[in-house]
């Protein structure tokens, strides 16, 4: 019954499979069972048990599954337990898999497969393309089975998971699988549980070598031990964890990691490693670019192994974290480990800058003294490590921990420090040091003190509280705002003078007058070795320092050689700097002979340095004090008795003092000394001491902090082997540690603001001469003498022409660095300048670029050629000609001359800087394609867009620059290049020196006349524009400027000639003149109270306009309404400008209409109140004051004025003018009554005069030289916007008129008011009062008859024949206009 029942149950399974009534996902076959049967575990899974008696049903079931593919499409998994496979059964399984493409998983548990069966299975896998997972568990496939599986998977491209559990495939099987891995890229999971861990090595090595993203888990249970994991690789987090591996396996894995890119984290914790493995791992670190974290904790590495790891870190550029705790190395290993993370010189780069976290330590790690030194060096110099761990250390003592925290005071990068379990972290000293460090270093975020004596004793709470405070955001406070100021304590004395003046000797004698006991030791040594140094070192600028009580006096001996002159600008003290000047001049030409200098030569020497001081001091925006200058004459001991020449020298010096009075502050005494004698210079030394104290009291105060920093920097130099230069990072660290006011107090502080304060202090130190600071270069020069003499002195005297193939001053960067090394490295041992111990050659090149001692030919090219202007050769004497020769060439030139060339000049450093600056401006233009730029000593040649330009430096001591151009372009385009590029570049470099622009005669430009012949062949630009403004409109277009002739020793060089103004000015300049004329006339119309909207019919009806003009209101501002038409015409003209002639035509019309109105007004003024005394005296009068042999018009009456003269104008209608040689009438004193009577009249007369000047009316004839700058009189009324086009007296008049108008009559409600703002009634009263005053004044002076008036004023009383009006006119009009007048004597 039982057997029948079992058989039935298996039949039922067959029926279910055939019919497909149950949708099965999984079928599990269990063979060699006690009984046969079927169990349905779930709705979709079934377990089939088959006993040995029913074994035939297993084959039958496989056959049914193969043929019932339509009824079992949902089948996914097949499991086989305890199956002893035969070849036919595997073939049937193959048919099942071929016919059912939905089966994804096969599992063989405790199966037995012989070689033939394994071969069949491998063939099935080769053909199958859908199975995703196969698992063998305790199926004893062995090495042969692994080999056959490997061969199948080399072909199969669908299988993703392969698991072999509780089997021993051996090293051979593992090797076969590793070969499969090399070619199979679809396998995603490999799990091996082998009896021997050796199988892990080839498998994981292949995965790593081929960069497979395959998850690998390899387990092992050797010799009956408990199973444990050997290797684990998880691609999702790129982590490779090796738990157990022999040394050869570890080495093979290391080799595979060399070019691997899938592993980012490697963990070998607990794997016993040796130096052999570390040697291989060194190559991994050098080659691998993806490894980010390596954990080698408790790997028993000793010193040799760590040395290999450290060697790999030198080239590694990817690793970020390294854990080496629990190893067996000593201080030697620590020293090597931290070497690539440290710097041992200011000029050395840190080898590894990517490693951020390092951990080491342990009970068997003996750090020792060498290791401690390495830790301190790393913490002091490292700029990349953010985490440092020293764990479970027993070798470091408390004083060692203190040193570690002291070194952290200067570290701004470390964020996390772990000292877990370190026995030395304990005691009050350590606690105090940690708190002090956190006070200085706010960047440390966490300190792990777990299991340390300090934590065990409960003393760490304050540390963690301070860490929290450092993380808070502090309110921003301007620390410099409220800092106390104090008098500076250091003063500089600049010794200026030519070669052989005796400056150095004088400086040495002065030093002997200072007590040597007050000198620092190093200064005494320098004084002793100075003669030896001078024997082997190049002469240059020297700096010598003395102490006078609490005052520091530095003597800066400026080199007298001409090649050093371009550096003097760089050394010149800034605005308000505590300094003064000694100008030293020798009375003899050379110290070796008795050939004395002439007074003219001495005057020339002194004048150069005075002009140099004035020119540079004017660069300051404002001067708090004039430069203090003392003059010293040396070699006085060679003069036996005073001679006439010496007296002449004294007189010339006095002339210089008078000439430069107001520019410099002269000390009244001129010192005459023997520079070799200490006794002779004792008074001069006393003067230096006293003047230093006086200057320090007068200059602006400095922050007290600067005086503190001077001592701090001095201490820093002492601690750092007297280093002359300091990197900015070192200055930052010094401020953080030593200067609380400049400290970053929280890691959330605004670092930019703190950095700005530090830079401000550095600039202040530079300003008072304590350091030389270049912000862009990133370092401070602490030894000024070293920098000026050793560095800049050598740079300026580079003889690159002998050492390289320079062409036109250009040299390669590498060649320049080679020359610098050759020049600055002395061949005498111990006597070198030690420049390269503090600065690199590339630093010097960058310094030269920043100081514009050289420049790049192409700034965008890092390998660009460099130009050194100081090595340029002078091209004078060579034949000069234009490269461009064509009949239609346009020649133009501009002459830029110092405004006050007698007191200032363009300093020697100016033109080299211009050569550099202008090159960069030209090459920076967007449209400069094809531009060429070449140089000579005093010449710049530019060819840009077809315009050839020459820029020449000229004049005694270089007080002018000539810009010459030859072009086929029109004049306007050429001059636009001048105005937009060249002249702005020049003006940007001559701060404080005003340059006036003049026009050079084109014929001089065409023929490139030498500068000596061009001296008289230029006209100031503003003078030419003013001349155009002064001529009538019809003459502007054809205005000619006449040039004088030039001859040399009677030989004619240039004939006299002329050029049209339109050929000297660009269209832009000419239009500026026209628009200024328009502007002035427009202001006049506004002043005359003419509104454009007042009469719109006037344009359409000229007759009505004329009728309106006839109805003139008799007021000062009441010009006829017809001027509205003029304004409308002005708008039309401005909109329709086509060329200069059309503009001038419009201008003529505008002038004509306004002139008519002005004449009507003048006639009204002349004939106003005809009945007053029956016009027995002239009406139009003015006052003149004599100043310095010239007459100046009085524009304002003030009580108390004296020595004025009253003059009268010729009143002939429309031709009013000044009467030449008029005697006038003298006024001794102006009282209040006079001011009251005349002030309103004077105000109106000035306005009338201004208007007349604007349109060239004859009213102003003869007054040109007398008219002052009227803008001074009305400056308090003028707005900046009204200054447009103002130049000279004419423009000033426009300003005055416009200003008074705005004050008196600008508002709409006052439109009816007169020119000065008064009503008609007020005007009548003012005019009557003034005229009555004249009548009374002349009567008092007994000048009331016609004869007396004719004698004093040259005027006669006449009556016009046509209208009967009376006027007072001059003798010329009496003769030329006799037919229009009748004389009416009194």
């Amino acid at each position: 019954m039982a057997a029948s029942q079992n058989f039935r149950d298996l039949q039922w399974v067959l029926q279910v499979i055939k019919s497909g009534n149950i949708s099965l996902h999984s079928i599990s076959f269990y063979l060699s069972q006690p009984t046969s049967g079927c169990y349905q575990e779930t709705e979709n899974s079934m377990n089939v048990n088959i006993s040995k008696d029913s074994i035939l049903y297993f084959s039958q079931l496989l056959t049914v599954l193969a043929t019932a593919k339509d009824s079992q499409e949902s089948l996914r998994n097949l499991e086989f337990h305890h199956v002893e496979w035969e070849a036919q059964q595997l073939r049937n399984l193959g048919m099942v898999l071929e016919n059912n493409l939905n089966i994804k998983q096969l599992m063989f548990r405790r199966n037995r497969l012989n070689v033939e069966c394994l071969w069949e299975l491998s063939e099935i896998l080769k053909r199958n393309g859908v199975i995703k997972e196969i698992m063998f568990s305790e199926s004893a496939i062995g090495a042969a089975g692994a080999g056959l599986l490997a061969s199948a998977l080399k072909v199969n491209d669908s299988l993703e998971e392969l698991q072999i559990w509780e089997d021993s495939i051996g090293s051979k099987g593992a090797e076969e699988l590793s070969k499969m891995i090399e070619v199979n890229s679809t396998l995603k999971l490999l799990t091996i549980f082998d009896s021997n861990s050796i199988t892990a090595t080839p498998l994981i090595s292949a995965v790593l070598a081929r960069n497979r993203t395959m998850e690998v888990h390899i387990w092992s249970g050797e010799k009956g031990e408990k199973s444990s994991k050997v290797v684990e690789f998880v691609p999702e987090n790129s982590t490779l964890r090796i738990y157990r591996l022999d040394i050869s396996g570890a080495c093979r894995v290391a080799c595979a990691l060399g070019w691997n890119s899938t592993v980012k984290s490697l963990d070998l914790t607990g794997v016993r490693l040796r130096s052999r493995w570390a040697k291989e791992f060194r190559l991994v670190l050098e080659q691998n670019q993806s490894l980010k974290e390596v954990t080698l904790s408790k790997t028993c590495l000793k010193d040799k192994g760590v040395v290999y790891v450290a060697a790999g870190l030198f080239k590694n550029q990817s690793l970020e974290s390294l854990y080496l705790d629990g190893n067996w190395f000593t201080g030697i290993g620590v020293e090597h480990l931290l070497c690539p993370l440290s710097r041992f010189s200011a000029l050395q780069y840190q080898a590894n800058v990517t490693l951020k976290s390092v951990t080491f330590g342990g009970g068997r790690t003996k750090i020792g003294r060498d290791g401690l030194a390495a830790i301190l060096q790393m913490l002091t110099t490292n700029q990349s490590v953010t985490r440092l761990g020293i764990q479970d250390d027993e070798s470091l003592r408390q004083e060692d921990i203190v040193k570690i925290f002291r070194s952290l005071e200067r570290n701004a990068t470390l964020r996390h420090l772990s000292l877990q379990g370190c026995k030395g972290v304990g005691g009050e000293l350590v606690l105090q040091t940690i708190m002090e460090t956190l006070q200085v270093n706010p960047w440390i975020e966490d300190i792990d003190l777990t299991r340390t004596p300090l934590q065990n004793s409960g003393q760490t709470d304050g540390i963690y509280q301070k860490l929290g405070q450092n993380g808070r955001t502090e309110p921003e406070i301007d620390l410099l705002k409220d800092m106390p100021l104090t008098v500076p304590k250091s003063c500089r004395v600049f010794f200026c003078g030519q070669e052989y003046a005796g400056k150095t000797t004088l400086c040495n004698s002065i030093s002997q007058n200072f007590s040597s006991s007050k000198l620092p030791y190093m200064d005494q040594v320098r004084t002793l070795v100075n003669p030896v140094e001078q024997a082997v070192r190049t002469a240059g600028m020297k700096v010598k320092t003395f102490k006078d009580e609490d005052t520091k006096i530095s003597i800066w001996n400026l080199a007298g050689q001409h090649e050093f002159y371009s550096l003097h600008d760089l050394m010149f003290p800034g605005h308000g700097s505590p300094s003064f000047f000694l100008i030293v001049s020798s009375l003899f030409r050379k110290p070796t002979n008795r050939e004395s200098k002439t007074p003219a030569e001495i005057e020339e020497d002194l004048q150069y340095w005075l002009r140099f001081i004035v020119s540079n001091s004017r660069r300051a925006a404002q001067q708090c004090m004039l430069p203090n200058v003392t003059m010293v004459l040396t070699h006085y001991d060679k003069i036996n008795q005073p001679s006439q020449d010496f007296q002449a020298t004294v007189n010339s010096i006095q002339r210089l003092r008078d000439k430069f009075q107001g520019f410099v502050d002269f000390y009244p005494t001129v010192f005459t000394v023997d520079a070799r004698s200490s006794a002779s210079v004792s008074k001069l030394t006393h003067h230096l001491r006293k003047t230093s104290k006086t200057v320090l009291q007068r200059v602006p105060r400095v922050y007290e902090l600067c005086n503190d920093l001077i001592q701090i920097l001095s201490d820093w130099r002492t601690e750092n082997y007297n280093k002359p230069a300091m990197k900015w990072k070192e200055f930052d660290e010094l401020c953080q540690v030593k200067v609380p006011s400049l400290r970053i107090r929280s890691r959330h502080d605004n670092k930019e603001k703190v950095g700005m304060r530090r830079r401000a202090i550095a600039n202040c130190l530079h300003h008072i001469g304590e350091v030389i600071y270049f912000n862009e270069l990133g370092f401070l020069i602490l030894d000024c003498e070293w920098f000026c003499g050793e560095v800049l002195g050598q740079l300026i005297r580079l003889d690159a022409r002998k050492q390289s193939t320079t062409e036109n001053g250009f040299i390669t960067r590498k060649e320049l660095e080679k020359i610098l090394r050759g020049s600055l490295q002395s061949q005498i041992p111990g006597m070198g300048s030690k420049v390269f111990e503090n600065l690199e050659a590339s630093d010097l090149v960058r310094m030269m670029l920043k100081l514009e001692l050289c420049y790049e030919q192409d700034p965008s090219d890092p390998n660009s050629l460099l130009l050194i202007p100081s090595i340029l050769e002078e091209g004078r004497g060579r034949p000069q000609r234009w490269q461009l020769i064509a009949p239609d060439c346009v020649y133009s030139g501009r002459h830029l001359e110092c405004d006050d060339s007698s007191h200032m000049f363009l300093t020697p450093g100016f033109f080299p800087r211009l050569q550099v600056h202008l090159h960069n401006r030209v090459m920076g233009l967007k449209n400069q394609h094809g531009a060429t730029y070449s140089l000579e000593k005093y010449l710049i040649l530019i060819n840009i867009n077809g315009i050839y330009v020459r820029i020449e430096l000229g004049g005694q001591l270089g007080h002018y620059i000539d810009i010459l151009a030859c072009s086929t372009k029109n004049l306007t385009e050429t001059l636009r290049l001048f105005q937009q590029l060249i002249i702005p570049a020049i003006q940007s470099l001559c701060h404080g020196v005003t340059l006036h622009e003049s026009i050079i005669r084109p014929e001089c430009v065409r023929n490139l006349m030498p500068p000596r012949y061009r001296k008289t062949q230029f006209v100031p630009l503003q003078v030419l524009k003013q001349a155009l403004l002064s001529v009538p409109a019809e003459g502007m277009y054809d205005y000619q400027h006449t040039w004088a002739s030039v001859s040399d020793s009677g030989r004619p060089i240039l004939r006299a000639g002329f050029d049209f103004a339109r050929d000297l000015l660009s269209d832009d300049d000419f239009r500026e003149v026209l628009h200024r004329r328009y502007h002035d006339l427009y202001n006049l119309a506004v002043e005359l109270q003419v509104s454009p909207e007042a009469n719109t019919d006037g344009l359409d009806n000229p007759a009505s306009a004329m009728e309106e003009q006839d109805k003139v209101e008799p007021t000062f501002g009441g010009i006829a309404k017809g001027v509205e038409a003029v304004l409308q015409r002005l708008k039309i003209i401005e909109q329709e400008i086509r060329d200069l002639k059309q503009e001038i035509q419009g201008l003529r019309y505008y002038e004509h209409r306004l002139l008519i109105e002005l004449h009507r007004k003048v006639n009204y003024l002349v004939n106003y109140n005809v009945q007053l005394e029956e016009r027995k005296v002239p009406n139009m009068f003015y006052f003149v004051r004599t100043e310095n042999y010239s007459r100046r018009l009085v524009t304002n009456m003030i009580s108390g004025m004296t020595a004025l003269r009253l003059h009268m104008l010729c009143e002939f209608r429309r031709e009013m003018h000044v009467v030449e040689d008029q005697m006038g009438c003298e006024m001794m004193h102006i009282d209040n009554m006079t001011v009251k009577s005349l002030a309103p009249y004077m105000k109106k007369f000035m306005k009338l005069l201004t208007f007349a000047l604007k349109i060239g009316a004859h009213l102003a004839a003869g007054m040109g030289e007398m008219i002052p700058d009227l803008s001074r009189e009305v400056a308090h009324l003028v707005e900046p916007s009204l200054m447009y086009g103002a130049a000279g007296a004419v423009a000033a008049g426009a300003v005055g008129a416009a200003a008074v108008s705005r004050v008196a009559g600008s508002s709409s409600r006052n439109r009816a008011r007169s020119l000065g703002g008064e009503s008609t009634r007020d005007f009548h009263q003012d005019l009557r009062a003034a005229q009555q005053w004249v009548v009374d004044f002349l009567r008092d002076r007994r000048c009331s008859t016609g004869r007396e008036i004719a004698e004093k004023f040259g005027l006669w009383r006449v009556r016009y024949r046509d209208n009967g009006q009376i006027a007072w006119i001059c003798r010329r009009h009496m003769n030329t206009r006799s037919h229009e007048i009748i004389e009416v004597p009194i």
Side-chain angles (χ1 to χ4, degrees), residues 184-224:
N184 186 302
S185 60
T186 58
L187 202 60
K188 301 299 182 186
L189 174 64
L190 176 63
T191 303
I192 305 291
F193 193 135
D194 202 280
S195 59
N196 195 333
S197 62
I198 198 172
T199 57
T201 301
L203 294 174
I204 193 61
S205 299
V207 170
L208 299 176
R210 299 297 293 174
N211 286 315
R212 300 299 184 207
T213 56
M214 180 191 304
E215 187 174 346
V216 178
H217 300 274
I218 301 177
W219 298 71
S220 173
E222 295 183 79
K223 300 177 182 178

Side-chain angles (χ1 to χ4, degrees), residues 312-321 339-343 348-357 381-386 413:
L313 292 177
F314 276 97
K315 292 186 178 180
N316 183 277
Q317 297 298 324
S318 63
L319 191 66
E320 296 178 356
S321 300
C339 184
L341 305 175
S342 307
R343 289 183 300 120
Q348 178 189 354
Y349 290 106
Q350 183 178 311
N352 186 302
V353 295
T354 56
L355 193 62
K356 306 297 182 186
S357 175
T381 62
N382 181 274
Q383 299 177 358
S384 61
V385 174
T386 59
T413 55

Side-chain angles (χ1 to χ4, degrees), residues 912-1130:
R913 291 200 304 274
L914 177 63
Q915 290 175 313
V916 172
H917 183 64
L918 192 55
H919 173 274
N920 294 338
R921 292 280 290 266
V922 170
M923 295 308 168
L925 294 175
K926 294 181 180 178
N927 59 344
Q928 56 84 24
H929 305 293
T932 61
Y933 188 90
S934 56
L935 303 174
E936 292 178 9
K937 190 78 170 178
Y938 302 108
L939 178 65
I940 302 173
L941 299 172
I942 304 173
N943 173 16
I944 180 169
N945 298 330
I947 302 175
Y948 291 82
V949 182
R950 294 171 60 94
I951 304 171
E952 302 177 358
L953 176 69
Q956 185 184 14
L957 301 178
H959 66 268
Y960 72 80
I961 289 179
D962 284 347
I963 310 170
L964 315 177
C966 168
S967 171
T968 55
K969 304 286 181 71
N970 61 45
L971 179 65
T972 298
E973 287 187 61
T974 303
L975 293 179
R976 278 177 183 163
L977 179 67
F978 286 14
Q979 297 298 332
Q980 297 174 7
L981 175 67
I982 297 173
I983 293 178
I986 293 171
Q987 291 176 337
S988 68
L989 293 179
C990 53
H991 308 290
V993 177
T994 303
L995 298 177
H996 284 317
E997 183 178 350
S998 299
I999 302 170
I1000 301 176
R1001 183 176 180 178
E1003 190 173 350
C1004 291
V1005 180
R1006 179 188 297 109
N1007 300 322
L1008 288 179
M1009 290 290 182
R1012 64 181 181 275
Y1013 298 139
R1014 299 200 298 257
K1015 289 182 179 179
T1016 61
Q1017 300 299 297
F1018 56 81
V1019 56
L1021 178 63
Q1022 293 302 327
V1023 169
L1024 184 60
K1025 289 182 178 180
Q1026 195 60 50
L1028 286 175
L1029 285 170
S1030 65
V1031 300
E1034 61 268 14
M1036 293 179 71
Y1037 188 76
D1038 294 324
Y1039 179 82
Q1040 300 173 356
H1041 179 76
T1042 304
W1043 304 104
S1045 61
V1046 178
S1047 60
D1048 185 2
S1049 302
R1051 179 172 59 91
I1053 303 298
L1054 272 176
R1055 295 181 180 179
F1058 70 87
D1059 284 295
F1060 289 109
R1062 63 177 184 266
D1063 294 333
L1064 298 175
L1065 298 173
S1066 67
D1067 290 352
D1068 301 330
D1069 288 331
F1070 211 103
R1071 281 192 170 88
E1072 180 193 341
V1073 173
L1074 294 178
H1075 289 167
R1076 189 189 302 178
R1077 191 78 166 253
Y1078 275 126
H1079 178 74
D1080 295 338
L1081 295 176
Y1082 179 82
N1083 281 343
L1084 172 58
V1086 173
E1087 287 291 334
L1088 299 176
Q1089 305 301 320
V1090 178
S1091 172
E1093 297 79 13
N1095 181 14
T1096 56
D1097 298 333
L1099 288 173
D1100 300 328
N1101 189 354
S1104 65
M1106 293 305 297
E1107 292 174 4
E1108 290 295 325
Q1109 291 176 13
D1110 293 337
K1111 300 176 182 178
V1112 178
E1113 183 183 358
T1115 66
F1116 198 94
I1119 301 299
K1121 298 297 190 298
V1123 180
E1124 294 108 357
V1126 178
L1127 293 176
Q1128 294 295 334
R1129 179 63 178 161
L1130 174 63

Side-chain angles (χ1 to χ4, degrees), residues 506 583-587 602 630-639 642 646 649-650 653 667 669-677 679-684:
L506 182 62
I583 303 180
V584 183
S585 180
S586 173
L587 292 168
I602 295 175
T630 299
M631 290 191 276
V632 179
L633 299 178
T634 57
H635 299 113
Y636 185 69
D637 56 293
K638 295 182 180 179
I639 297 180
F646 185 74
T649 299
V650 173
I653 291 175
Y667 185 68
T669 301
V670 177
F671 290 91
T672 54
V673 299
D674 174 9
R676 299 169 300 175
S677 167
S680 177
V681 301
S682 59
K683 291 184 178 180
L684 179 60

Side-chain angles (χ1 to χ4, degrees), residues 10-22 24 27 29 46 48 60-72 75:
L10 291 178
Q11 283 288 25
W12 179 79
V13 173
L14 289 172
Q15 291 299 323
V16 167
I17 293 174
K18 287 179 180 180
S19 64
N21 293 332
I22 300 176
L24 295 175
I27 301 178
F29 294 95
M46 179 184 294
V48 180
Q60 190 176 359
L61 286 170
L62 291 176
T63 303
V64 171
L65 283 172
T67 57
K69 60 180 182 177
D70 295 333
S71 59
Q72 293 299 330
L75 190 61

Side-chain angles (χ1 to χ4, degrees), residues 330-565:
T330 66
I332 296 174
V334 174
E335 188 176 1
H336 283 83
L337 175 65
L338 300 181
C339 184
L341 305 175
S342 307
R343 289 183 300 120
F344 300 91
S345 165
L347 302 179
Q348 178 189 354
Y349 290 106
Q350 183 178 311
N352 186 302
V353 295
T354 56
L355 193 62
K356 306 297 182 186
S357 175
V358 181
T359 302
F360 54 89
R364 300 187 64 174
T365 300
K366 306 298 182 185
I367 294 177
R369 184 168 58 184
D370 293 337
L372 176 64
I375 293 171
L376 298 178
Q377 183 70 24
M378 189 274 288
L379 290 176
T380 304
T381 62
N382 181 274
Q383 299 177 358
S384 61
V385 174
T386 59
R387 290 177 179 268
L388 175 64
I390 305 174
Q391 298 182 356
D392 299 304
D393 178 80
E394 299 179 1
S395 61
L396 293 176
R397 297 166 298 176
Q398 288 187 8
E399 51 267 33
D400 299 332
I401 301 296
V402 167
K403 291 178 182 178
I404 290 175
F405 277 99
R406 290 291 183 208
S407 66
L408 284 175
E409 291 179 349
R410 300 176 184 274
N411 188 303
T413 55
L414 195 70
R415 296 294 183 268
H416 304 272
L417 176 64
S418 174
L419 296 173
Q420 284 188 33
C422 291
K423 302 299 183 186
V425 184
E428 286 296 330
L429 181 60
V430 172
L431 176 61
Q432 181 182 350
T433 304
I434 295 175
M435 295 300 294
E436 290 174 356
T437 300
L438 293 178
Q439 187 70 29
V440 172
N441 188 333
W443 296 285
I444 298 177
E445 298 176 9
D446 178 51
I447 299 177
D448 187 357
L449 301 176
T450 307
R451 297 182 286 107
T452 61
L454 206 62
Q455 189 194 49
N456 295 338
S457 60
Q459 294 178 289
T460 57
D461 293 342
I463 296 174
Y464 294 124
Q465 183 179 0
K466 182 58 182 173
L467 286 169
Q469 291 174 356
N470 285 354
R472 294 176 186 170
T473 303
E474 296 287 339
E476 291 190 5
I477 302 173
D478 189 351
L479 297 176
L480 292 178
K481 184 176 181 181
D482 299 320
M483 287 179 61
L485 299 174
T486 187
V487 174
K489 293 183 179 180
S490 57
C491 182
R492 285 184 286 177
V493 187
F494 289 90
F495 277 28
C496 309
Q498 310 295 338
E499 294 180 278
Y500 307 116
K503 299 185 298 297
T504 303
T505 307
L506 182 62
C507 185
N508 292 335
S509 297
I510 290 174
S511 69
Q512 295 175 18
N513 278 277
F514 283 88
S515 173
S516 60
S517 61
K518 295 181 180 179
L519 287 173
Y521 173 73
M522 282 308 299
D523 280 353
Q524 296 180 43
V525 173
R526 287 179 189 161
T527 305
L528 292 173
V529 302
N530 194 49
V532 181
E533 286 184 343
Q534 287 185 348
V536 295
R537 284 165 50 188
T538 308
M541 286 180 281
K542 304 289 182 183
V543 181
K544 191 175 286 290
T545 302
F546 311 104
K547 287 288 283 186
D548 180 30
E549 297 175 351
D550 62 340
T551 302
K552 177 181 175 183
I553 302 175
S554 300
I555 295 179
W556 291 55
N557 184 355
L558 299 183
Q561 296 89 345
H562 283 274
E563 60 264 31
F564 286 94
Y565 281 9

